[in-house]
Every structure is written in structure tokens, then in C-alpha cells.
Amino acid sequence: MKIWRAIVTLTVISFLLGCESEQKAMYERYSTRLGNVLDISLGDMPDTEAVTLEDTRDLLRSPTAITIGLLDSYSLRKCGLFQLIADKNSILGKVADPFREFDYQVQFIQQAQRCIEDESIDIDVAQALQSALATKQNELIDVYFSNVLWTSQAMRTQLSASDWLTEADFHHSAATITALKHFNTTLADTHHQRWNAIKPIQPEQETLEKQPIVGPLIFSLHNSTVMLNHINRHLQQHFPHVSCGENRDNTQFRYLTNVLNQQYINVIQIYSAELNQVFYQVSLHIDFLTEDVMPQVIDLVHYHQKFHEANLQHVQLWQSLSKRCGALTQ
């Protein structure tokens, strides 16, 4: 079910880039040179497809309205909650973005717990606080964290993509992975009701917006899969007709293995290995993207599995050809 939701709700659309990327170009070079040796046309490479999210309006969740007149209770000043609520009801507090809104809700939960335990707080206020606290705890992930993930500009930038991961991304992914790890820890702390252990997420906002990794990783895995499958379909059809073997002219097979070494092993396979490395680093810290309570899920493992299958099939096609043709006589 999660895979189904990942495919359907993570909308993939045709996206024509104004300037062709080196990553797509490497697949096109490989395809063209295979076609030249096989004396066929493998056709044009499929257009790259951008990774997009559903519209913000469809993903935004509204919290339960809590109106218990807490601001009229002077006793809240004694435990520090009065000022927090006043700040939230200020002009700036009312327009807080999802990151700051989440951090406020965590602060409220942490402070309200202390207020309820404060013997100087009126009993009716304590009871009202207990009800508000339970509501906010129940909605911290389902509503507030969900809005961070799917409606904030930072996370929508992080999870969307219209271009490939580059060499620079591979070398500058540590800060983003640390931020994702923070999100995962926040999710775990909430599930285990470790309310006082939850730390603000707003400090991670800039990193997540300016250094997107997850969306470009999905884009790269998905489009690599599409392009390699395109090549695989042609090789499945034409490799059986390659003339080779003992006492036969192995020129075509020799030329093909040169293309394999120069274009796949020395270029595409190196890029694929880098994608694998980033996947294994990122996948440890994104449990929050597959939460069933969310309005949308992204199953990164699904995209990686398809990528792995395409590469495995490609290797097996070459292995089958090599087994049939035997060792080359240089």
C-alpha cells in the first residue's frame, strides 16, 4: 500500500530541460554508441520527469481549535505559560510559518506539563490545560509536523526536484542528512512521548531549503531507471543476434565490450555507485516520510529497488552475451 501511495501521490510529470544535463547525456552517449555497433537505432531517450508534490492546499491540515480563556487566568503567569500564549497571539505569532508553529506547539506541551504539576495553579485552569495538552500531543505529528513536511517552502523544496544530483551534491550532503536525522529523532521522541527531549526544528529550515537532497535523489534514481530500462529493452531484442564465438568474427562483440567499459563501467556505473551511497546515508533518517498518518508518503526504498533491478538486468544481459560469446581473442 505504501508503494502505491508513493507512486500516485508523488506526481511525476514530463519536464523538458532547457539545457541538457550531463547525467542524461551520459545515457544518450551510451545508447548511441551501442546503436552504432549494433547497427540499429535505440531511439530517443525518454524525457526526464520532474518530481512534484500535491498542491499545498490539499495537504494542509487544520488543528483543533482550543478556546478555553487561558489568557484571562492570571495564575498562568506563575508557571511561565502566560507569556508564551501571549507571544503566539501576537501579530507575528499568528503568521508563524510551519517550522515556528511546530516549535511553539512543542514549547506549549513542555511548559503546560510543568504548569499542571504546579500546585499554585488553580484546579480549573489545570484541568483546562490538561485537555489542551492532550489535544496538542495527539496532533503534534498528525497536524503540525505534517504541515512542516508537506506545506512549508523549505520541505517542499527539499522533496521536489527537476534536476539530477551532481558531484557537488555528493560532497555537500552531510548538513542535510544531519537535518533529516533531527526530524527522525523528533518523530521517535514524539511516538515515545519523550516530550521534553524534543528540540526546535527551526534551525534546520535554511539547510533543508538551500541544500535539497531527497527530491533530487528520487529524480536521479527514477530517471536513471527509466533510461536504463529503455536501453535494456533494445539489448534484450538485439544481443541474441550479435555474431560471436569460437571460429567466428568477434569484431562486433569486441567493439561492444569497449563501449561497455568506456561508457557504462567508467561513467554510468560510477554515478550509480554515488547514488547508492547517498541513498544508504539518507534512507536511515527518513522514517517520517512513510508515516501512515500523513496525507502523503514517499517510499524512497521503492525508487531505489526499481533502480537496482534495472542495473541488475543490465548486468545480466551483458553476462549472458559474454557467456555465449566466450573469451575474446586479442
Side-chain angles (χ1 to χ4, degrees):
M1 180 60 70
K2 286 184 179 180
I3 289 179
W4 180 86
R5 292 176 68 192
I7 295 172
V8 172
T9 63
L10 189 63
T11 308
V12 183
I13 61 173
S14 178
F15 187 90
L16 299 177
L17 296 176
C19 180
E20 184 176 274
S21 66
E22 171 57 29
Q23 291 75 19
K24 183 179 180 181
M26 70 184 179
Y27 283 102
E28 290 182 330
R29 283 195 301 271
Y30 185 38
S31 176
T32 298
R33 294 183 187 184
L34 284 171
N36 290 341
V37 177
L38 292 169
D39 196 25
I40 61 169
S41 172
L42 273 67
D44 294 335
M45 274 289 162
D47 292 331
T48 50
E49 298 176 322
V51 179
T52 63
L53 302 179
E54 293 180 25
D55 191 88
T56 300
R57 292 171 296 181
D58 297 327
L59 299 174
L60 181 65
R61 287 180 166 177
S62 300
T64 301
I66 299 175
T67 53
I68 54 178
L70 293 179
L71 285 178
D72 295 330
S73 177
Y74 182 81
S75 61
L76 286 177
R77 296 178 182 272
K78 301 175 184 178
C79 63
L81 192 57
F82 184 91
Q83 188 59 50
L84 180 65
I85 297 174
D87 291 342
K88 171 59 181 171
N89 284 281
S90 68
I91 295 176
L92 292 178
K94 289 180 178 178
V95 295
D97 66 20
F99 275 79
R100 288 178 172 80
E101 179 66 27
F102 179 86
D103 285 347
Y104 164 77
Q105 300 302 331
V106 171
Q107 285 182 284
F108 181 94
I109 288 170
Q110 293 169 343
Q111 195 62 39
Q113 286 181 307
R114 289 189 282 269
C115 285
I116 291 170
E117 296 167 1
D118 191 328
E119 294 181 354
S120 67
I121 300 298
D122 296 341
I123 188 169
D124 58 333
V125 175
Q127 290 174 345
L129 272 179
Q130 186 64 62
S131 176
L133 176 62
T135 298
K136 290 182 179 294
Q137 288 173 334
N138 289 335
E139 295 183 350
L140 190 62
I141 293 298
D142 297 21
V143 176
Y144 299 106
F145 195 61
S146 174
N147 286 343
V148 171
L149 293 184
W150 306 112
T151 71
S152 71
Q153 181 60 45
M155 288 307 297
R156 290 182 70 83
T157 300
Q158 177 64 221
L159 300 177
S160 304
S162 58
D163 210 349
W164 304 75
L165 278 178
T166 66
E167 193 68 27
D169 296 323
F170 294 137
H171 294 292
H172 298 91
S173 60
T176 301
I177 292 172
T178 297
L180 295 173
K181 184 178 181 180
H182 185 166
F183 270 39
N184 233 30
T185 300
T186 298
L187 179 69
D189 286 338
T190 303
H191 281 322
H192 291 90
Q193 299 184 355
R194 296 189 291 257
W195 308 111
N196 290 326
I198 302 174
K199 294 180 173 58
I201 62 171
Q202 195 275 327
E204 312 293 354
Q205 186 171 4
E206 183 176 0
T207 295
L208 290 165
E209 183 167 1
K210 292 187 175 180
Q211 299 181 37
I213 292 293
V214 178
L217 176 58
I218 293 171
F219 178 97
S220 302
L221 291 172
H222 173 72
N223 286 291
S224 291
T225 300
V226 170
M227 293 183 187
L228 202 53
N229 281 338
H230 172 83
I231 294 173
N232 287 345
R233 284 191 292 271
H234 288 280
L235 298 190
Q236 272 185 308
Q237 180 180 355
H238 295 284
F239 265 9
H241 305 299
V242 172
S243 177
C244 62
E246 190 175 356
N247 300 322
R248 302 190 69 176
D249 183 0
N250 287 307
T251 301
Q252 189 180 40
F253 179 50
R254 185 178 292 110
Y255 286 168
L256 283 171
T257 56
N258 286 340
V259 173
L260 171 69
N261 289 322
Q262 294 170 7
Q263 302 301 322
Y264 183 73
I265 294 177
N266 293 338
V267 181
I268 293 175
Q269 202 167 62
I270 291 175
Y271 182 73
S272 296
E274 291 176 319
L275 290 182
N276 272 323
Q277 182 178 6
V278 174
F279 165 76
Y280 287 117
Q281 291 172 335
V282 169
S283 62
L284 296 173
H285 309 299
I286 55 171
D287 293 341
F288 56 87
L289 291 179
T290 55
E291 279 284 292
D292 285 332
V293 298
M294 296 295 175
Q296 182 167 9
V297 297
I298 296 177
D299 191 346
L300 182 60
V301 174
H302 164 74
Y303 293 97
H304 183 260
Q305 180 62 32
K306 294 298 182 183
F307 171 75
H308 172 73
E309 290 171 359
N311 278 278
L312 179 60
Q313 182 188 30
H314 193 71
V315 170
Q316 289 172 338
L317 285 167
W318 278 103
Q319 289 175 335
S320 178
L321 179 64
S322 297
K323 183 178 181 180
R324 180 171 67 84
C325 292
L328 285 173
T329 301
Q330 301 295 331

